[in-house]
Amino acid sequence: MVFVSTLAAVALAVQSISALAIPAVEAPAVRREWTSLTLAARKEYINAVLCLANKPSIIPAGQVPGALNRRDDFTAVHINQTFGVHLDAVFLGWHRNFLYLYETALRDECGYTGYQPYWDWSKSVNNISAYPLFDGSEYSIGGGGLYDPSTGAYDLGPYHFDHGTGGGCVSSGPFTQLELHLGPIPISALFTQALPSNWTLRNNHCLRRDFNVPVAQRFSNGTAVAHLLDAPDIGEFQSRLSGVGNAPPGPHTAGHLQIGMDMFDVFSSPNDPAFFFHHSNVDRMWTIWQARDPLNRQFALNGTTINYDPAGAPIADLYTEENWGVLGRPKPMLELMSNRMFDFNFAYEDMQA
């Protein structure tokens, strides 16, 4: 395993002319759990998401014909970057900035006055449909999908999961009319390392979900989260977060799987608004874990810039530059390692530091 030390980060920061890697002194923006928000605040967030879905894409004409709106832009960038930003050293940092860019778009383009909420998985493990984020009310991001008996089971390595309670279109809540235009992409593409040639083309479909409580109960419970946060180093944290090979699904993978369908598409999962709540909590986990030993964890990296860390892939370090296409400027990994440095100045409501 390859680790990058805090001393190396400090040396790089000293060399940086464009910015200093010192913690922000202003009070941080606070990301809150969905159930901590007032009904009015939840409605404001929902309206901002619908607003993005009605703003035209900024991807240059002809590059991704299926990207019609600003939400599609985020899905398109995620699809295009998937092979380099999952199950590797840059996964956490890349998604931290992806989330920040989405939050910024909601605020700057659609007038949202809050910050990206998070989904505390432990609050929904026994009844996803009753949790206010997914209860299908006007103050939720929609309920489950209609039951589709043709929906198949899910297989992850040696783990087999029966399909859940849905599989079809979301039938309640504010996003029943949300039209998706990109994806789905078969999971087999993750292993062939090649996107379908037609992935950029328009493919209209509804938002689909397949709630799976058994997955939530087994892999998103308090014990699973405690096990994740007890990881001794960044390599083990990454492994426990997602699960690789024959390892059981970690809380990150389980979050996608328990919502299912569009959310379980590793490529186009940002199609589902739940993606950003889930990844806000993933980022919260990383932030909490880093804060427990900042000297050794704040700038710790392990692995390569290619998913599954294949032999010969480039080793990631703090100089490694990541990009988000039309969404925002490229950044070195150094700028992505702290929630209180460079462009970032945010905290989570249960750890406002």
Side-chain angles (χ1 to χ4, degrees):
M1 295 189 294
V2 179
F3 297 95
V4 177
S5 71
T6 300
L7 290 178
V10 172
L12 179 58
V14 169
Q15 295 173 28
S16 175
I17 297 175
S18 61
L20 296 175
I22 57 176
V25 295
E26 295 181 0
V30 179
R31 292 178 177 170
R32 304 188 185 280
E33 213 281 331
W34 184 246
T35 57
S36 294
L37 300 182
T38 65
L39 295 182
R42 295 179 199 177
K43 193 71 170 178
E44 183 194 13
Y45 179 89
I46 292 162
N47 288 339
V49 174
L50 292 170
C51 164
L52 274 190
N54 284 291
K55 286 190 172 292
S57 169
I58 62 171
I59 295 175
Q63 288 189 8
V64 184
L68 305 186
N69 60 52
R70 291 289 284 127
R71 290 198 74 254
D72 292 337
D73 290 350
F74 284 85
T75 301
V77 167
H78 192 270
I79 292 172
N80 195 43
Q81 297 281 350
T82 291
F83 297 130
V85 298
H86 293 86
L87 301 169
D88 57 20
V90 305
F91 166 76
L92 289 163
W94 190 90
H95 282 82
R96 171 172 280 173
N97 196 57
F98 188 67
L99 190 68
Y100 168 77
L101 292 168
Y102 186 76
E103 177 183 75
T104 300
L106 291 175
R107 289 173 56 82
D108 290 356
E109 299 176 40
C110 289
Y112 179 53
T113 60
Y115 299 91
Q116 176 60 48
Y118 64 91
W119 161 31
D120 181 346
W121 310 307
S122 68
K123 292 181 180 292
S124 58
V125 290
N126 293 317
N127 192 338
I128 300 170
S129 295
Y131 174 59
L133 185 64
F134 299 117
D135 67 8
S137 72
E138 64 177 306
Y139 301 105
S140 73
I141 61 168
L146 294 170
Y147 185 72
D148 181 355
S150 69
T151 302
Y154 302 90
D155 290 294
L156 293 174
Y159 295 88
H160 175 88
F161 305 100
D162 292 333
H163 109 72
T165 59
C169 299
V170 168
S171 60
S172 60
F175 298 123
T176 55
Q177 301 302 312
L178 185 66
E179 184 178 82
L180 309 181
H181 305 120
L182 296 169
I185 308 283
I187 196 170
S188 59
L190 192 62
F191 307 105
T192 62
Q193 294 285 292
L195 287 168
S197 60
N198 64 347
W199 81 264
T200 63
L201 301 183
R202 181 173 179 175
N203 179 34
N204 292 358
H205 57 288
C206 64
L207 173 62
R208 300 164 303 150
R209 291 181 179 148
D210 184 27
F211 288 169
N212 197 313
V213 169
V215 169
Q217 290 175 324
R218 187 174 177 186
F219 301 109
S220 297
N221 58 46
T223 300
V225 170
H227 180 64
L228 169 65
L229 294 176
D230 283 343
D233 56 55
I234 187 60
E236 186 63 21
F237 181 84
Q238 291 170 175
S239 179
R240 294 182 186 185
L241 178 64
S242 292
V244 179
N246 291 329
H252 165 242
T253 301
H256 285 277
L257 178 57
Q258 68 188 268
I259 304 304
M261 304 311 290
D262 291 298
M263 181 66 166
F264 192 57
D265 184 331
V266 66
F267 296 90
S268 63
S269 49
N271 268 333
D272 191 327
F275 174 97
F276 298 95
F277 291 82
H278 177 48
H279 272 273
S280 188
N281 204 41
V282 168
D283 188 80
R284 173 173 163 261
M285 293 295 104
W286 185 30
T287 304
I288 292 171
W289 182 84
Q290 288 178 311
R292 292 185 175 183
D293 185 6
L295 182 63
N296 293 301
R297 296 179 176 182
Q298 193 68 72
F299 297 97
L301 288 170
N302 178 63
T304 73
T305 61
I306 303 295
N307 61 345
Y308 295 108
D309 292 330
I315 299 297
D317 60 29
L318 296 173
Y319 294 91
T320 299
E321 186 173 88
E322 292 299 310
N323 76 83
W324 295 264
V326 299
L327 303 179
R329 67 177 177 85
K331 295 181 179 181
M333 285 300 298
L334 174 65
E335 294 191 27
L336 311 176
M337 303 301 292
S338 171
N339 60 308
R340 298 295 308 281
M341 296 179 181
F342 296 96
D343 288 345
F344 304 144
N345 186 24
F346 64 86
Y348 294 94
E349 66 176 338
D350 55 352
M351 56 171 303
Q352 294 181 40

